[in-house]
Amino acid sequence: MPDRFDLLTYLSGEPGPDVAHPRVGDPVELRILQDGRSIEAYSAAGQRLGRLPPAEREAIAGLLPPGLASLVGQIAALVPRPQLQGAGRIHIRVSAD
């Protein structure tokens, strides 16, 4: 296992209408759910922002030290989706030792 990794990933789906608009630079907590089959992203305020696609989930889960159930990352970019309302696709950068 590498000593350090940096990963740029994205969230599938969009935050619900009651979620504060995320901004580039905001911290994000990636939580591995108890079933281990999904990783969801939450804002610093505890609001659900979306989940990682399966291939991304597997890459991150495979790099986590045993017993670690979450990682902190930060929003790297908000990519608009033409003709769609909302925050757009949220890109997240995760770094860990």
Side-chain angles (χ1 to χ4, degrees):
M1 182 160 87
D3 292 336
R4 178 171 177 78
F5 70 89
D6 292 310
L7 181 68
L8 183 62
T9 186
Y10 65 94
L11 301 179
S12 59
E14 295 213 12
D18 57 333
V19 174
H21 290 291
R23 295 187 305 218
V24 171
D26 285 352
V28 175
E29 181 183 11
L30 298 176
R31 299 178 190 169
I32 298 176
L33 300 184
Q34 289 184 354
D35 64 6
R37 294 185 303 203
S38 62
I39 297 178
E40 292 187 344
Y42 290 84
S43 71
Q47 296 175 311
R48 185 181 178 280
L49 299 174
R51 84 176 33 189
L52 271 63
E56 303 289 318
R57 177 202 71 224
E58 291 174 16
I60 288 178
L63 295 172
L64 285 173
L68 190 62
S70 69
L71 286 172
V72 175
Q74 100 180 127
I75 296 177
L78 298 171
V79 180
R81 296 179 180 179
Q83 300 177 352
L84 295 176
Q85 295 181 357
R89 178 163 279 165
I90 299 173
H91 288 227
I92 296 174
R93 180 171 309 282
V94 180
S95 300
D97 294 327

